[in-house]
Amino acid sequence: MGAEKAVSEGEVHFHSDNAFGGIEDAEIVQPKAQAAPWPERMSLRIICALVLLFPLFYGGKHDLALFVVQLVIFGFAAAASFSYFRGRVELLADFRLGSLSRRLLIFSGIFVMLAALQLLALPLGLLEYVSANAAALYSAAGATLGSVSIERAATLSGLVQFAAFAGCAFWIMALPYKKFSTSLSARPSRRRSRAKNQLLQRARSIDGVVDLLQRSIIFAGIACSLISLGHLALGGQALFGLFDPGRGGLRTSRAHWPFVNPNHLAVLIEIALMTAFARLLRLTQLTGLRSQTSGDGRRFTARFFQNPEKLGHHTSALLGVFVMLLCGILTLSRAGGTLIVLGMILLWFVFKSNQFEMGPRPVNSRRRRGGEPAAVRTLRKIAKPLSVLAVLLFILFFVGQTGGDKLLSRIEYGLTPNANQTRAELNYVSVDVLSDYPVLGVGLGNWHRGAAQHISRDLAGYKLDYAHNEFLQFAAEMGIVGSLLLFCFLGSLILLSRRALNKAHVASDKMLLWGSSAAIGLPLLHSLVEFPFHMPALALIFAVALAVHARLVDQALGS
C-alpha cells in the first residue's frame, strides 16, 4: 500500500511495492503556478503575429492591412481596459518601468501633445504668432480659424499610427520579467554536473519576453528574405500573382519583395540580422562556457566538426544569418549593405573582446616548447584571413556572376559625383521648409505641402512624399521644438545604453545589449538617406526592437 504525506511546499507521494523487492520511489509534486492574466498572454501572441504578417502587405503600405493592424491594437487595449474596470482581470499586476522606459514615455507624451497642438483650431491673429505662413494660407482661403497643420487629416493619421505603435512598445516595456534559460544544443545534455555551475546558469538566463520578440523579428526577416530571393529568382515576376502593378514598377535587378523599395527591405534585414547575429555569437559564448566548465578545452571549430549533432541550434541560426545576409547584399542598397557589413564587424569585435574567462586554455606541449613545424606555425598565422576569405567566396558563390556584376555596377554608380544629388536637393528643401515654419513646423505628415513651394524643375517630375532624410523631415514637420525633443530622446537613448553596457559584467548579457543597440542604431543611421519609418511595418518592428532594447537596458541598470 502507498502512503502520502503533505508538506507546505507541495506534496510528496511515497509509493512502495513489496512484490518487487520492496522498491520505493518518491515523487515531489510542485503546486501549479498561477497563470498570467489573459492580456499578458494574448498581447505577446498578437504582437508576434503582427511582426510576422504585417511586412507581407507591401511593407505595411496596404491601406486595409494598416487599418486592421491599428484596429487590432486599439481593440485589444479597449477589451483589456473594459475587463479591468469590470473587475474581471488584473491588468499588469507587476507593472513597472525602468529608467529608459520612463524617459521614452515622457518624450512620447510630449510629442503627442505637440502633434495635438498642431491640430488645435486657433484664431488667425493668434496663429500668426505661432506660424505666420500657416496663418497666411488660411487667410487666403477665407477662413477665420486655422491650425499649425496645413493638412489636418495627414497629421491626425500620423498621430493615430504613432499612438498605436507607441502603445504597443510601452506595453512590451511594462510586461513583467520572466526568466528563461537558453538551450545550448539540439538535444538535452545528460551531464547533470553542468547544471551545478552558477555562472553558466546565470549566463543562460534571458528575459522570456525579449527572447520571444527577438525570435519573431528574426523569423520576419528570414521570411521576407526568402520571399524576396524567390521573387528575384523568378525574374521579378509576382509570387502567386499577389503583386499589384498600381503599387509601382517591378524591379527585376534588385531584391525587394514584399517591399516595393529595396532600401526598405534592407532596413528590415538590418534589424533582424543584427539581432540574429548577436544571438548566434551569444550562443557560441555559452557553448564555450559549458565546454570549459566540463573540462573540454577544445576550440569551437574543433567541437563543431567532431560533434556536429550537439550544435543544431548553431546550424539553424547560422543558416538564418546567411539567408538574410545574402538577401541584404542583393538589395543592392548602398547604405544598407555598408551598414550591415559594419554592424557585423562591430558585433564580431565585441564577441572577441568579451569572452568568459575560466582560466587559460591548455596549450599543446610541442607548441609550448616551440617544436611545431614551420608550416603549422605559418598556417596558424594566416588561418583567420583565410577563414574570412573563404566566407566571402562562399557568399559571392551564391550571389552569382549576374548578381556580382550588378553589385559592382551599383558600387560604381555610388562613386559617381552626381549619385546623391537628388537627396542633397531634398535636404535643402527640408531646411527651407523649416525656415518657413520654424517654431512648431508645417505639421506632422505635411512635409510635401511645405516642400511644394521650394521644389526645382528637376524634381518636379517626382512624386515627392518624403524627404529621404527622416531627421530633416521630422524637423520640418515639428519645428525647432520637436527637434529639441528628438535630440533629447536620442541623447537619453545613447547615454543610458552606454551606462547599461558599462554595468553589464556577464559576457552573454553584454552581447545581447550590443545586438539590440545595433538593431536600432543601424536603421537610425540609414534614415539619414531614406524614409524607413514612414513604412508602417518597419515603424512597428522598430518600435518592438526599441522596446526590447529598453527592457535589456532597464534590466542591466537595475541589476
Side-chain angles (χ1 to χ4, degrees):
M1 297 294 292
E4 297 184 357
K5 180 179 180 181
V7 295
S8 59
E9 295 82 10
E11 295 182 353
V12 182
H13 299 275
F14 296 97
H15 307 280
S16 61
D17 193 346
N18 295 327
F20 294 91
I23 298 176
E24 182 180 76
D25 88 24
E27 177 185 2
I28 299 178
V29 180
Q30 297 291 343
K32 293 184 178 180
Q34 185 177 2
W38 70 263
E40 295 183 21
R41 301 193 309 270
M42 290 298 298
S43 59
L44 283 177
R45 299 175 186 176
I46 292 174
I47 293 172
C48 292
L50 295 180
V51 168
L52 290 171
L53 298 177
F54 196 28
L56 303 181
F57 296 89
Y58 309 115
K61 289 296 288 183
H62 193 282
D63 296 334
L64 180 59
L66 177 59
F67 173 76
V68 170
V69 168
Q70 293 176 352
L71 184 64
V72 168
I73 294 175
F74 289 126
F76 171 81
S81 301
F82 179 77
S83 298
Y84 172 74
F85 288 114
R86 292 290 299 271
R88 297 178 180 177
V89 65
E90 187 177 7
L91 193 60
L92 288 180
D94 193 20
F95 177 83
R96 62 176 179 176
L97 289 177
S99 301
L100 180 56
S101 299
R102 287 196 301 268
R103 296 193 186 189
L104 294 180
L105 181 61
I106 293 172
F107 293 142
S108 299
I110 298 175
F111 173 79
V112 170
M113 288 190 292
L114 287 177
L117 182 61
Q118 292 179 340
L119 293 172
L120 186 63
L122 301 173
L124 295 185
L126 180 59
L127 183 60
E128 288 181 357
Y129 293 100
V130 180
S131 180
N133 285 317
L137 290 176
Y138 281 103
S139 178
T144 58
L145 296 176
S147 62
V148 173
S149 175
I150 299 177
E151 186 178 340
R152 296 181 185 177
T155 302
L156 182 61
S157 176
L159 184 58
V160 170
Q161 181 175 315
F162 175 82
F165 296 162
C168 184
F170 287 117
W171 180 267
I172 294 173
M173 297 177 194
L175 286 174
Y177 290 89
K178 298 180 179 179
K179 288 187 178 180
F180 175 79
S181 293
T182 303
S183 179
L184 302 183
S185 63
R187 63 182 185 181
S189 175
R190 294 182 180 179
R191 301 184 67 170
R192 300 301 181 188
S193 59
R194 290 172 179 166
K196 298 178 181 179
N197 186 276
Q198 295 182 357
L199 176 59
L200 178 60
Q201 291 298 102
R202 169 64 184 86
R204 290 177 60 182
S205 175
I206 184 176
D207 180 17
V209 175
V210 168
D211 181 71
L212 180 60
L213 293 175
Q214 284 190 336
R215 284 190 282 122
S216 300
I217 293 174
I218 294 171
F219 289 151
I222 294 175
C224 289
S225 297
L226 291 174
I227 292 173
S228 181
L229 292 174
H231 179 262
L232 187 65
L234 293 176
Q237 299 299 318
L239 288 177
F240 313 113
L242 293 177
F243 188 81
D244 182 6
R247 290 281 171 179
L250 285 169
R251 297 175 183 264
T252 58
S253 60
R254 301 173 64 182
H256 68 92
W257 184 254
F259 291 83
V260 177
N261 191 326
N263 297 311
H264 298 153
L265 177 61
V267 173
L268 173 61
I269 292 176
E270 289 166 11
I271 300 175
L273 181 56
M274 293 304 105
T275 304
F277 192 52
R279 288 173 63 95
L280 175 62
L281 295 178
R282 175 179 178 269
L283 188 61
T284 305
Q285 288 177 329
L286 296 177
T287 306
L289 176 61
R290 184 184 65 173
S291 298
Q292 292 180 48
T293 56
S294 62
D296 188 354
R298 296 174 299 169
R299 294 186 177 272
F300 173 79
T301 307
R303 294 196 307 271
F304 180 82
F305 285 106
Q306 295 179 16
N307 302 100
E309 73 281 357
K310 293 186 177 181
L311 300 172
H313 289 0
H314 288 80
T315 305
S316 58
L318 187 60
L319 181 60
V321 168
F322 173 74
V323 168
M324 288 188 286
L325 178 59
L326 179 61
C327 185
I329 293 174
L330 292 178
T331 60
L332 303 182
S333 172
R334 290 172 291 160
T338 303
L339 290 173
I340 286 173
V341 172
L342 292 178
M344 295 186 72
I345 293 175
L346 171 65
L347 293 181
W348 178 257
F349 277 108
V350 170
F351 166 74
K352 296 298 290 184
S353 59
N354 289 276
Q355 295 289 334
F356 291 102
E357 296 296 336
M358 298 291 293
R361 288 181 176 272
V363 181
N364 183 275
S365 58
R366 294 185 62 185
R367 180 182 175 185
R368 184 168 54 247
R369 295 193 305 267
E372 282 187 329
V376 176
R377 291 198 302 270
T378 304
L379 182 62
R380 192 183 300 280
K381 293 179 181 179
I382 64 175
K384 291 183 179 179
L386 287 178
S387 301
V388 174
L389 180 61
V391 171
L392 292 177
L393 292 176
F394 184 72
I395 295 173
L396 291 177
F397 171 78
F398 282 90
V399 170
Q401 181 178 359
T402 304
D405 294 340
K406 293 177 181 178
L407 181 61
L408 290 177
S409 63
R410 184 68 176 169
I411 295 175
E412 293 175 357
Y413 168 74
L415 296 177
T416 57
N418 298 325
N420 299 311
Q421 182 178 359
T422 301
R423 286 187 170 90
E425 292 184 15
L426 291 176
N427 290 340
Y428 292 132
V429 169
S430 299
V431 174
D432 291 335
V433 175
L434 177 60
S435 63
D436 290 342
Y437 305 88
V439 182
L440 292 177
V442 69
L444 183 63
N446 283 251
W447 176 87
H448 61 288
R449 297 293 301 271
Q453 306 173 12
H454 304 282
I455 294 298
S456 64
R457 293 182 178 180
D458 297 334
L459 299 179
Y462 292 92
K463 184 180 179 182
L464 299 176
D465 292 335
Y466 312 104
H468 285 267
N469 187 319
E470 292 283 18
F471 295 98
L472 284 179
Q473 181 164 348
F474 185 87
E477 293 181 351
M478 303 302 295
I480 296 176
V481 177
S483 300
L484 292 176
L485 179 66
L486 178 62
F487 290 145
C488 291
F489 158 73
L490 294 176
S492 298
L493 182 63
I494 295 172
L495 177 63
L496 291 179
S497 299
R498 181 180 178 182
R499 189 179 300 172
L501 286 169
N502 292 334
K503 193 172 182 180
H505 300 297
V506 181
S508 56
D509 293 346
K510 187 168 290 189
M511 196 73 247
L512 275 180
L513 271 171
W514 273 107
S516 64
S517 300
I520 63 173
L522 297 192
L524 288 173
L525 292 175
H526 201 154
S527 65
L528 290 170
V529 294
E530 271 298 328
F531 48 97
F533 303 134
H534 282 82
M535 298 297 105
L538 291 180
L540 173 63
I541 293 176
F542 180 81
V544 174
L546 180 60
V548 167
H549 180 69
R551 288 181 69 92
L552 291 173
V553 169
D554 293 339
Q555 191 174 12
L557 294 178
S559 60

